[in-house]
PDB file of all heavy atoms in Angstrom:
ATOM      1  N   ALA A  13       2.840  -5.511  -5.063  1.00 91.00           N
ATOM      2  CA  ALA A  13       2.871  -4.127  -4.581  1.00 91.00           C
ATOM      3  C   ALA A  13       1.982  -3.963  -3.346  1.00 91.00           C
ATOM      4  O   ALA A  13       2.376  -3.316  -2.371  1.00 91.00           O
ATOM      5  CB  ALA A  13       2.423  -3.177  -5.686  1.00 91.00           C
ATOM      6  N   VAL A  14       0.790  -4.569  -3.363  1.00 93.00           N
ATOM      7  CA  VAL A  14      -0.121  -4.490  -2.222  1.00 93.00           C
ATOM      8  C   VAL A  14       0.525  -5.114  -0.992  1.00 93.00           C
ATOM      9  O   VAL A  14       0.517  -4.523   0.099  1.00 93.00           O
ATOM     10  CB  VAL A  14      -1.477  -5.168  -2.537  1.00 93.00           C
ATOM     11  CG1 VAL A  14      -2.323  -5.323  -1.279  1.00 93.00           C
ATOM     12  CG2 VAL A  14      -2.227  -4.396  -3.608  1.00 93.00           C
ATOM     13  N   GLU A  15       1.091  -6.298  -1.147  1.00 91.00           N
ATOM     14  CA  GLU A  15       1.748  -6.962  -0.013  1.00 91.00           C
ATOM     15  C   GLU A  15       2.905  -6.127   0.520  1.00 91.00           C
ATOM     16  O   GLU A  15       3.100  -6.027   1.729  1.00 91.00           O
ATOM     17  CB  GLU A  15       2.230  -8.360  -0.408  1.00 91.00           C
ATOM     18  CG  GLU A  15       1.107  -9.327  -0.709  1.00 91.00           C
ATOM     19  CD  GLU A  15       0.110  -9.469   0.431  1.00 91.00           C
ATOM     20  OE1 GLU A  15       0.521  -9.519   1.605  1.00 91.00           O
ATOM     21  OE2 GLU A  15      -1.101  -9.528   0.132  1.00 91.00           O
ATOM     22  N   TRP A  16       3.680  -5.515  -0.375  1.00 88.00           N
ATOM     23  CA  TRP A  16       4.798  -4.668   0.052  1.00 88.00           C
ATOM     24  C   TRP A  16       4.281  -3.490   0.875  1.00 88.00           C
ATOM     25  O   TRP A  16       4.835  -3.175   1.927  1.00 88.00           O
ATOM     26  CB  TRP A  16       5.596  -4.168  -1.157  1.00 88.00           C
ATOM     27  CG  TRP A  16       6.775  -3.350  -0.761  1.00 88.00           C
ATOM     28  CD1 TRP A  16       8.021  -3.806  -0.439  1.00 88.00           C
ATOM     29  CD2 TRP A  16       6.835  -1.933  -0.620  1.00 88.00           C
ATOM     30  NE1 TRP A  16       8.845  -2.757  -0.112  1.00 88.00           N
ATOM     31  CE2 TRP A  16       8.134  -1.594  -0.217  1.00 88.00           C
ATOM     32  CE3 TRP A  16       5.903  -0.912  -0.803  1.00 88.00           C
ATOM     33  CZ2 TRP A  16       8.534  -0.283   0.023  1.00 88.00           C
ATOM     34  CZ3 TRP A  16       6.297   0.394  -0.574  1.00 88.00           C
ATOM     35  CH2 TRP A  16       7.596   0.685  -0.170  1.00 88.00           C
ATOM     36  N   LEU A  17       3.210  -2.851   0.405  1.00 87.00           N
ATOM     37  CA  LEU A  17       2.647  -1.711   1.132  1.00 87.00           C
ATOM     38  C   LEU A  17       2.128  -2.131   2.504  1.00 87.00           C
ATOM     39  O   LEU A  17       2.271  -1.396   3.479  1.00 87.00           O
ATOM     40  CB  LEU A  17       1.521  -1.071   0.320  1.00 87.00           C
ATOM     41  CG  LEU A  17       1.949  -0.302  -0.921  1.00 87.00           C
ATOM     42  CD1 LEU A  17       0.740   0.003  -1.806  1.00 87.00           C
ATOM     43  CD2 LEU A  17       2.676   0.984  -0.555  1.00 87.00           C
ATOM     44  N   ILE A  18       1.536  -3.310   2.591  1.00 87.00           N
ATOM     45  CA  ILE A  18       0.997  -3.790   3.860  1.00 87.00           C
ATOM     46  C   ILE A  18       2.109  -4.179   4.830  1.00 87.00           C
ATOM     47  O   ILE A  18       2.050  -3.871   6.020  1.00 87.00           O
ATOM     48  CB  ILE A  18       0.051  -4.989   3.627  1.00 87.00           C
ATOM     49  CG1 ILE A  18      -1.221  -4.511   2.936  1.00 87.00           C
ATOM     50  CG2 ILE A  18      -0.277  -5.705   4.937  1.00 87.00           C
ATOM     51  CD1 ILE A  18      -2.114  -5.632   2.464  1.00 87.00           C
ATOM     52  N   GLU A  19       3.128  -4.842   4.329  1.00 83.00           N
ATOM     53  CA  GLU A  19       4.185  -5.367   5.194  1.00 83.00           C
ATOM     54  C   GLU A  19       5.288  -4.365   5.480  1.00 83.00           C
ATOM     55  O   GLU A  19       6.102  -4.585   6.365  1.00 83.00           O
ATOM     56  CB  GLU A  19       4.778  -6.625   4.564  1.00 83.00           C
ATOM     57  CG  GLU A  19       3.766  -7.756   4.485  1.00 83.00           C
ATOM     58  CD  GLU A  19       4.251  -8.936   3.676  1.00 83.00           C
ATOM     59  OE1 GLU A  19       5.416  -8.933   3.237  1.00 83.00           O
ATOM     60  OE2 GLU A  19       3.449  -9.860   3.475  1.00 83.00           O
ATOM     61  N   LYS A  20       5.333  -3.265   4.754  1.00 74.00           N
ATOM     62  CA  LYS A  20       6.392  -2.262   4.933  1.00 74.00           C
ATOM     63  C   LYS A  20       6.355  -1.744   6.359  1.00 74.00           C
ATOM     64  O   LYS A  20       5.335  -1.221   6.806  1.00 74.00           O
ATOM     65  CB  LYS A  20       6.166  -1.106   3.948  1.00 74.00           C
ATOM     66  CG  LYS A  20       7.138   0.017   4.056  1.00 74.00           C
ATOM     67  CD  LYS A  20       8.317  -0.235   3.160  1.00 74.00           C
ATOM     68  CE  LYS A  20       9.239   0.965   3.150  1.00 74.00           C
ATOM     69  NZ  LYS A  20      10.461   0.709   3.854  1.00 74.00           N
ATOM     70  N   PRO A  21       7.452  -1.904   7.100  1.00 61.00           N
ATOM     71  CA  PRO A  21       7.461  -1.368   8.464  1.00 61.00           C
ATOM     72  C   PRO A  21       7.484   0.162   8.413  1.00 61.00           C
ATOM     73  O   PRO A  21       8.323   0.753   7.753  1.00 61.00           O
ATOM     74  CB  PRO A  21       8.747  -1.927   9.073  1.00 61.00           C
ATOM     75  CG  PRO A  21       9.609  -2.260   7.907  1.00 61.00           C
ATOM     76  CD  PRO A  21       8.692  -2.560   6.746  1.00 61.00           C
ATOM     77  N   VAL A  22       6.508   0.755   9.053  1.00 59.00           N
ATOM     78  CA  VAL A  22       6.428   2.213   9.070  1.00 59.00           C
ATOM     79  C   VAL A  22       6.383   2.705  10.510  1.00 59.00           C
ATOM     80  O   VAL A  22       5.326   2.841  11.101  1.00 59.00           O
ATOM     81  CB  VAL A  22       5.207   2.728   8.271  1.00 59.00           C
ATOM     82  CG1 VAL A  22       5.458   2.651   6.788  1.00 59.00           C
ATOM     83  CG2 VAL A  22       3.958   1.945   8.601  1.00 59.00           C
ATOM     84  N   PRO A  23       7.564   2.962  11.088  1.00 52.00           N
ATOM     85  CA  PRO A  23       7.590   3.417  12.484  1.00 52.00           C
ATOM     86  C   PRO A  23       6.946   4.792  12.626  1.00 52.00           C
ATOM     87  O   PRO A  23       6.987   5.610  11.719  1.00 52.00           O
ATOM     88  CB  PRO A  23       9.085   3.465  12.798  1.00 52.00           C
ATOM     89  CG  PRO A  23       9.756   3.633  11.484  1.00 52.00           C
ATOM     90  CD  PRO A  23       8.876   2.930  10.481  1.00 52.00           C
ATOM     91  N   ASN A  24       6.353   5.024  13.763  1.00 52.00           N
ATOM     92  CA  ASN A  24       5.753   6.319  14.087  1.00 52.00           C
ATOM     93  C   ASN A  24       4.715   6.764  13.053  1.00 52.00           C
ATOM     94  O   ASN A  24       4.659   7.929  12.663  1.00 52.00           O
ATOM     95  CB  ASN A  24       6.840   7.397  14.237  1.00 52.00           C
ATOM     96  CG  ASN A  24       7.858   7.017  15.295  1.00 52.00           C
ATOM     97  OD1 ASN A  24       7.487   6.512  16.341  1.00 52.00           O
ATOM     98  ND2 ASN A  24       9.115   7.245  15.018  1.00 52.00           N
ATOM     99  N   ASN A  25       3.911   5.829  12.586  1.00 57.00           N
ATOM    100  CA  ASN A  25       2.878   6.149  11.592  1.00 57.00           C
ATOM    101  C   ASN A  25       3.458   6.835  10.369  1.00 57.00           C
ATOM    102  O   ASN A  25       2.904   7.782   9.846  1.00 57.00           O
ATOM    103  CB  ASN A  25       1.769   7.009  12.210  1.00 57.00           C
ATOM    104  CG  ASN A  25       1.000   6.255  13.260  1.00 57.00           C
ATOM    105  OD1 ASN A  25       0.733   5.081  13.117  1.00 57.00           O
ATOM    106  ND2 ASN A  25       0.661   6.932  14.331  1.00 57.00           N
ATOM    107  N   GLY A  26       4.583   6.348   9.917  1.00 62.00           N
ATOM    108  CA  GLY A  26       5.249   6.901   8.741  1.00 62.00           C
ATOM    109  C   GLY A  26       4.447   6.635   7.492  1.00 62.00           C
ATOM    110  O   GLY A  26       3.235   6.563   7.517  1.00 62.00           O
ATOM    111  N   GLY A  27       5.113   6.442   6.405  1.00 69.00           N
ATOM    112  CA  GLY A  27       4.387   6.239   5.169  1.00 69.00           C
ATOM    113  C   GLY A  27       5.134   5.327   4.224  1.00 69.00           C
ATOM    114  O   GLY A  27       6.235   4.867   4.508  1.00 69.00           O
ATOM    115  N   ALA A  28       4.513   5.082   3.114  1.00 74.00           N
ATOM    116  CA  ALA A  28       5.115   4.246   2.082  1.00 74.00           C
ATOM    117  C   ALA A  28       4.702   4.835   0.739  1.00 74.00           C
ATOM    118  O   ALA A  28       3.707   5.538   0.639  1.00 74.00           O
ATOM    119  CB  ALA A  28       4.620   2.805   2.200  1.00 74.00           C
ATOM    120  N   GLY A  29       5.470   4.548  -0.260  1.00 75.00           N
ATOM    121  CA  GLY A  29       5.155   5.055  -1.593  1.00 75.00           C
ATOM    122  C   GLY A  29       5.017   3.916  -2.587  1.00 75.00           C
ATOM    123  O   GLY A  29       5.645   2.876  -2.444  1.00 75.00           O
ATOM    124  N   ALA A  30       4.174   4.138  -3.572  1.00 78.00           N
ATOM    125  CA  ALA A  30       4.002   3.171  -4.653  1.00 78.00           C
ATOM    126  C   ALA A  30       4.529   3.830  -5.927  1.00 78.00           C
ATOM    127  O   ALA A  30       3.958   4.807  -6.399  1.00 78.00           O
ATOM    128  CB  ALA A  30       2.534   2.802  -4.806  1.00 78.00           C
ATOM    129  N   PHE A  31       5.610   3.314  -6.440  1.00 80.00           N
ATOM    130  CA  PHE A  31       6.242   3.902  -7.615  1.00 80.00           C
ATOM    131  C   PHE A  31       6.215   2.913  -8.769  1.00 80.00           C
ATOM    132  O   PHE A  31       7.144   2.167  -8.998  1.00 80.00           O
ATOM    133  CB  PHE A  31       7.681   4.321  -7.284  1.00 80.00           C
ATOM    134  CG  PHE A  31       7.752   5.353  -6.189  1.00 80.00           C
ATOM    135  CD1 PHE A  31       7.996   4.975  -4.882  1.00 80.00           C
ATOM    136  CD2 PHE A  31       7.532   6.690  -6.478  1.00 80.00           C
ATOM    137  CE1 PHE A  31       8.042   5.920  -3.866  1.00 80.00           C
ATOM    138  CE2 PHE A  31       7.574   7.641  -5.472  1.00 80.00           C
ATOM    139  CZ  PHE A  31       7.827   7.253  -4.155  1.00 80.00           C
ATOM    140  N   LEU A  32       5.096   2.902  -9.472  1.00 83.00           N
ATOM    141  CA  LEU A  32       4.919   2.083 -10.665  1.00 83.00           C
ATOM    142  C   LEU A  32       4.749   3.037 -11.834  1.00 83.00           C
ATOM    143  O   LEU A  32       4.381   4.193 -11.659  1.00 83.00           O
ATOM    144  CB  LEU A  32       3.685   1.189 -10.538  1.00 83.00           C
ATOM    145  CG  LEU A  32       3.682   0.156  -9.415  1.00 83.00           C
ATOM    146  CD1 LEU A  32       2.307  -0.478  -9.281  1.00 83.00           C
ATOM    147  CD2 LEU A  32       4.722  -0.899  -9.680  1.00 83.00           C
ATOM    148  N   ASP A  33       4.968   2.552 -13.031  1.00 85.00           N
ATOM    149  CA  ASP A  33       4.791   3.385 -14.211  1.00 85.00           C
ATOM    150  C   ASP A  33       3.334   3.811 -14.375  1.00 85.00           C
ATOM    151  O   ASP A  33       2.421   3.201 -13.811  1.00 85.00           O
ATOM    152  CB  ASP A  33       5.254   2.653 -15.473  1.00 85.00           C
ATOM    153  CG  ASP A  33       6.775   2.577 -15.584  1.00 85.00           C
ATOM    154  OD1 ASP A  33       7.461   3.415 -14.973  1.00 85.00           O
ATOM    155  OD2 ASP A  33       7.262   1.667 -16.280  1.00 85.00           O
ATOM    156  N   VAL A  34       3.121   4.838 -15.170  1.00 88.00           N
ATOM    157  CA  VAL A  34       1.787   5.360 -15.458  1.00 88.00           C
ATOM    158  C   VAL A  34       0.895   4.245 -16.007  1.00 88.00           C
ATOM    159  O   VAL A  34       1.302   3.479 -16.876  1.00 88.00           O
ATOM    160  CB  VAL A  34       1.886   6.515 -16.481  1.00 88.00           C
ATOM    161  CG1 VAL A  34       0.503   6.977 -16.906  1.00 88.00           C
ATOM    162  CG2 VAL A  34       2.683   7.667 -15.912  1.00 88.00           C
ATOM    163  N   GLY A  35      -0.305   4.140 -15.463  1.00 87.00           N
ATOM    164  CA  GLY A  35      -1.281   3.188 -15.960  1.00 87.00           C
ATOM    165  C   GLY A  35      -1.180   1.774 -15.425  1.00 87.00           C
ATOM    166  O   GLY A  35      -1.919   0.889 -15.859  1.00 87.00           O
ATOM    167  N   LEU A  36      -0.278   1.534 -14.469  1.00 91.00           N
ATOM    168  CA  LEU A  36      -0.112   0.173 -13.952  1.00 91.00           C
ATOM    169  C   LEU A  36      -0.917  -0.107 -12.677  1.00 91.00           C
ATOM    170  O   LEU A  36      -0.799  -1.176 -12.099  1.00 91.00           O
ATOM    171  CB  LEU A  36       1.372  -0.124 -13.710  1.00 91.00           C
ATOM    172  CG  LEU A  36       2.221  -0.226 -14.966  1.00 91.00           C
ATOM    173  CD1 LEU A  36       3.670  -0.557 -14.610  1.00 91.00           C
ATOM    174  CD2 LEU A  36       1.669  -1.275 -15.928  1.00 91.00           C
ATOM    175  N   GLY A  37      -1.744   0.842 -12.251  1.00 88.00           N
ATOM    176  CA  GLY A  37      -2.659   0.566 -11.152  1.00 88.00           C
ATOM    177  C   GLY A  37      -2.186   0.935  -9.770  1.00 88.00           C
ATOM    178  O   GLY A  37      -2.561   0.272  -8.804  1.00 88.00           O
ATOM    179  N   LYS A  38      -1.400   1.990  -9.655  1.00 92.00           N
ATOM    180  CA  LYS A  38      -0.943   2.421  -8.333  1.00 92.00           C
ATOM    181  C   LYS A  38      -2.116   2.739  -7.408  1.00 92.00           C
ATOM    182  O   LYS A  38      -2.133   2.333  -6.248  1.00 92.00           O
ATOM    183  CB  LYS A  38      -0.048   3.661  -8.446  1.00 92.00           C
ATOM    184  CG  LYS A  38       1.293   3.429  -9.072  1.00 92.00           C
ATOM    185  CD  LYS A  38       2.094   4.713  -9.175  1.00 92.00           C
ATOM    186  CE  LYS A  38       1.542   5.702 -10.159  1.00 92.00           C
ATOM    187  NZ  LYS A  38       1.558   5.295 -11.557  1.00 92.00           N
ATOM    188  N   THR A  39      -3.092   3.465  -7.940  1.00 93.00           N
ATOM    189  CA  THR A  39      -4.225   3.886  -7.114  1.00 93.00           C
ATOM    190  C   THR A  39      -4.956   2.669  -6.545  1.00 93.00           C
ATOM    191  O   THR A  39      -5.217   2.606  -5.344  1.00 93.00           O
ATOM    192  CB  THR A  39      -5.193   4.759  -7.933  1.00 93.00           C
ATOM    193  OG1 THR A  39      -4.471   5.886  -8.449  1.00 93.00           O
ATOM    194  CG2 THR A  39      -6.351   5.245  -7.091  1.00 93.00           C
ATOM    195  N   SER A  40      -5.252   1.706  -7.372  1.00 95.00           N
ATOM    196  CA  SER A  40      -5.962   0.503  -6.906  1.00 95.00           C
ATOM    197  C   SER A  40      -5.122  -0.289  -5.908  1.00 95.00           C
ATOM    198  O   SER A  40      -5.664  -0.828  -4.941  1.00 95.00           O
ATOM    199  CB  SER A  40      -6.335  -0.380  -8.091  1.00 95.00           C
ATOM    200  OG  SER A  40      -7.205   0.308  -8.950  1.00 95.00           O
ATOM    201  N   CYS A  41      -3.832  -0.354  -6.130  1.00 94.00           N
ATOM    202  CA  CYS A  41      -2.952  -1.068  -5.193  1.00 94.00           C
ATOM    203  C   CYS A  41      -2.986  -0.401  -3.821  1.00 94.00           C
ATOM    204  O   CYS A  41      -3.092  -1.082  -2.794  1.00 94.00           O
ATOM    205  CB  CYS A  41      -1.514  -1.088  -5.712  1.00 94.00           C
ATOM    206  SG  CYS A  41      -1.247  -2.142  -7.140  1.00 94.00           S
ATOM    207  N   VAL A  42      -2.903   0.911  -3.802  1.00 92.00           N
ATOM    208  CA  VAL A  42      -2.925   1.641  -2.532  1.00 92.00           C
ATOM    209  C   VAL A  42      -4.296   1.500  -1.865  1.00 92.00           C
ATOM    210  O   VAL A  42      -4.375   1.314  -0.649  1.00 92.00           O
ATOM    211  CB  VAL A  42      -2.542   3.122  -2.743  1.00 92.00           C
ATOM    212  CG1 VAL A  42      -2.733   3.924  -1.478  1.00 92.00           C
ATOM    213  CG2 VAL A  42      -1.094   3.230  -3.213  1.00 92.00           C
ATOM    214  N   LEU A  43      -5.356   1.580  -2.647  1.00 95.00           N
ATOM    215  CA  LEU A  43      -6.693   1.391  -2.077  1.00 95.00           C
ATOM    216  C   LEU A  43      -6.851   0.002  -1.470  1.00 95.00           C
ATOM    217  O   LEU A  43      -7.423  -0.147  -0.382  1.00 95.00           O
ATOM    218  CB  LEU A  43      -7.760   1.620  -3.150  1.00 95.00           C
ATOM    219  CG  LEU A  43      -7.993   3.081  -3.546  1.00 95.00           C
ATOM    220  CD1 LEU A  43      -8.825   3.162  -4.816  1.00 95.00           C
ATOM    221  CD2 LEU A  43      -8.651   3.844  -2.409  1.00 95.00           C
ATOM    222  N   GLU A  44      -6.369  -1.022  -2.150  1.00 96.00           N
ATOM    223  CA  GLU A  44      -6.457  -2.391  -1.614  1.00 96.00           C
ATOM    224  C   GLU A  44      -5.642  -2.534  -0.339  1.00 96.00           C
ATOM    225  O   GLU A  44      -6.105  -3.138   0.639  1.00 96.00           O
ATOM    226  CB  GLU A  44      -6.006  -3.406  -2.660  1.00 96.00           C
ATOM    227  CG  GLU A  44      -6.048  -4.844  -2.197  1.00 96.00           C
ATOM    228  CD  GLU A  44      -7.440  -5.375  -1.905  1.00 96.00           C
ATOM    229  OE1 GLU A  44      -8.443  -4.796  -2.365  1.00 96.00           O
ATOM    230  OE2 GLU A  44      -7.527  -6.405  -1.200  1.00 96.00           O
ATOM    231  N   ALA A  45      -4.434  -1.982  -0.330  1.00 92.00           N
ATOM    232  CA  ALA A  45      -3.598  -2.058   0.878  1.00 92.00           C
ATOM    233  C   ALA A  45      -4.288  -1.345   2.034  1.00 92.00           C
ATOM    234  O   ALA A  45      -4.351  -1.875   3.149  1.00 92.00           O
ATOM    235  CB  ALA A  45      -2.225  -1.449   0.603  1.00 92.00           C
ATOM    236  N   PHE A  46      -4.831  -0.170   1.770  1.00 92.00           N
ATOM    237  CA  PHE A  46      -5.526   0.576   2.824  1.00 92.00           C
ATOM    238  C   PHE A  46      -6.747  -0.189   3.327  1.00 92.00           C
ATOM    239  O   PHE A  46      -6.980  -0.292   4.529  1.00 92.00           O
ATOM    240  CB  PHE A  46      -5.949   1.957   2.325  1.00 92.00           C
ATOM    241  CG  PHE A  46      -6.793   2.698   3.310  1.00 92.00           C
ATOM    242  CD1 PHE A  46      -6.262   3.112   4.525  1.00 92.00           C
ATOM    243  CD2 PHE A  46      -8.124   2.966   3.047  1.00 92.00           C
ATOM    244  CE1 PHE A  46      -7.044   3.782   5.453  1.00 92.00           C
ATOM    245  CE2 PHE A  46      -8.921   3.636   3.963  1.00 92.00           C
ATOM    246  CZ  PHE A  46      -8.373   4.051   5.168  1.00 92.00           C
ATOM    247  N   LYS A  47      -7.527  -0.737   2.408  1.00 95.00           N
ATOM    248  CA  LYS A  47      -8.718  -1.504   2.793  1.00 95.00           C
ATOM    249  C   LYS A  47      -8.335  -2.648   3.730  1.00 95.00           C
ATOM    250  O   LYS A  47      -8.967  -2.862   4.763  1.00 95.00           O
ATOM    251  CB  LYS A  47      -9.420  -2.042   1.544  1.00 95.00           C
ATOM    252  CG  LYS A  47     -10.715  -2.781   1.841  1.00 95.00           C
ATOM    253  CD  LYS A  47     -11.298  -3.390   0.596  1.00 95.00           C
ATOM    254  CE  LYS A  47     -10.564  -4.664   0.330  1.00 95.00           C
ATOM    255  NZ  LYS A  47     -11.259  -5.765  -0.234  1.00 95.00           N
ATOM    256  N   ARG A  48      -7.294  -3.367   3.388  1.00 93.00           N
ATOM    257  CA  ARG A  48      -6.861  -4.501   4.228  1.00 93.00           C
ATOM    258  C   ARG A  48      -6.341  -4.020   5.588  1.00 93.00           C
ATOM    259  O   ARG A  48      -6.630  -4.646   6.621  1.00 93.00           O
ATOM    260  CB  ARG A  48      -5.774  -5.297   3.514  1.00 93.00           C
ATOM    261  CG  ARG A  48      -6.288  -6.069   2.332  1.00 93.00           C
ATOM    262  CD  ARG A  48      -5.237  -7.033   1.861  1.00 93.00           C
ATOM    263  NE  ARG A  48      -5.425  -7.456   0.492  1.00 93.00           N
ATOM    264  CZ  ARG A  48      -4.564  -8.191  -0.166  1.00 93.00           C
ATOM    265  NH1 ARG A  48      -3.434  -8.583   0.394  1.00 93.00           N
ATOM    266  NH2 ARG A  48      -4.809  -8.547  -1.413  1.00 93.00           N
ATOM    267  N   LEU A  49      -5.566  -2.940   5.586  1.00 90.00           N
ATOM    268  CA  LEU A  49      -5.058  -2.410   6.855  1.00 90.00           C
ATOM    269  C   LEU A  49      -6.205  -1.919   7.727  1.00 90.00           C
ATOM    270  O   LEU A  49      -6.201  -2.116   8.943  1.00 90.00           O
ATOM    271  CB  LEU A  49      -4.054  -1.283   6.595  1.00 90.00           C
ATOM    272  CG  LEU A  49      -2.713  -1.729   6.021  1.00 90.00           C
ATOM    273  CD1 LEU A  49      -1.912  -0.527   5.533  1.00 90.00           C
ATOM    274  CD2 LEU A  49      -1.919  -2.522   7.056  1.00 90.00           C
ATOM    275  N   LYS A  50      -7.188  -1.309   7.110  1.00 92.00           N
ATOM    276  CA  LYS A  50      -8.355  -0.825   7.847  1.00 92.00           C
ATOM    277  C   LYS A  50      -9.136  -1.998   8.438  1.00 92.00           C
ATOM    278  O   LYS A  50      -9.537  -1.962   9.598  1.00 92.00           O
ATOM    279  CB  LYS A  50      -9.233   0.014   6.915  1.00 92.00           C
ATOM    280  CG  LYS A  50     -10.329   0.754   7.613  1.00 92.00           C
ATOM    281  CD  LYS A  50     -11.050   1.684   6.655  1.00 92.00           C
ATOM    282  CE  LYS A  50     -12.144   2.409   7.400  1.00 92.00           C
ATOM    283  NZ  LYS A  50     -12.887   3.313   6.556  1.00 92.00           N
ATOM    284  N   GLU A  51      -9.352  -3.034   7.633  1.00 93.00           N
ATOM    285  CA  GLU A  51     -10.069  -4.225   8.111  1.00 93.00           C
ATOM    286  C   GLU A  51      -9.339  -4.905   9.257  1.00 93.00           C
ATOM    287  O   GLU A  51      -9.962  -5.490  10.135  1.00 93.00           O
ATOM    288  CB  GLU A  51     -10.279  -5.211   6.967  1.00 93.00           C
ATOM    289  CG  GLU A  51     -11.298  -4.751   5.943  1.00 93.00           C
ATOM    290  CD  GLU A  51     -11.323  -5.600   4.671  1.00 93.00           C
ATOM    291  OE1 GLU A  51     -10.437  -6.469   4.504  1.00 93.00           O
ATOM    292  OE2 GLU A  51     -12.218  -5.374   3.838  1.00 93.00           O
ATOM    293  N   ALA A  52      -8.012  -4.827   9.253  1.00 91.00           N
ATOM    294  CA  ALA A  52      -7.198  -5.444  10.304  1.00 91.00           C
ATOM    295  C   ALA A  52      -7.062  -4.543  11.533  1.00 91.00           C
ATOM    296  O   ALA A  52      -6.409  -4.912  12.504  1.00 91.00           O
ATOM    297  CB  ALA A  52      -5.816  -5.782   9.758  1.00 91.00           C
TER     298      ALA A  52
END
């Protein structure tokens, strides 16, 4: 999920969504993707 969020092409500063079931760690996945994008 993290890799998908990072690699997802988002033209014009678009967005991406994380659609996992309740309790599967969507928040942490998005935080990790953001952290990596920020570091890059």
Side-chain angles (χ1 to χ4, degrees):
V14 169
E15 293 304 319
W16 182 86
L17 289 167
I18 290 171
E19 295 171 5
K20 178 90 174 108
V22 284
N24 303 319
N25 294 321
F31 299 97
L32 298 170
D33 285 337
V34 174
L36 292 181
K38 290 179 291 295
T39 303
S40 298
C41 289
V42 173
L43 286 167
E44 179 65 19
F46 174 66
K47 183 185 80 146
R48 290 191 201 173
L49 289 168
K50 190 173 180 180
E51 289 169 352

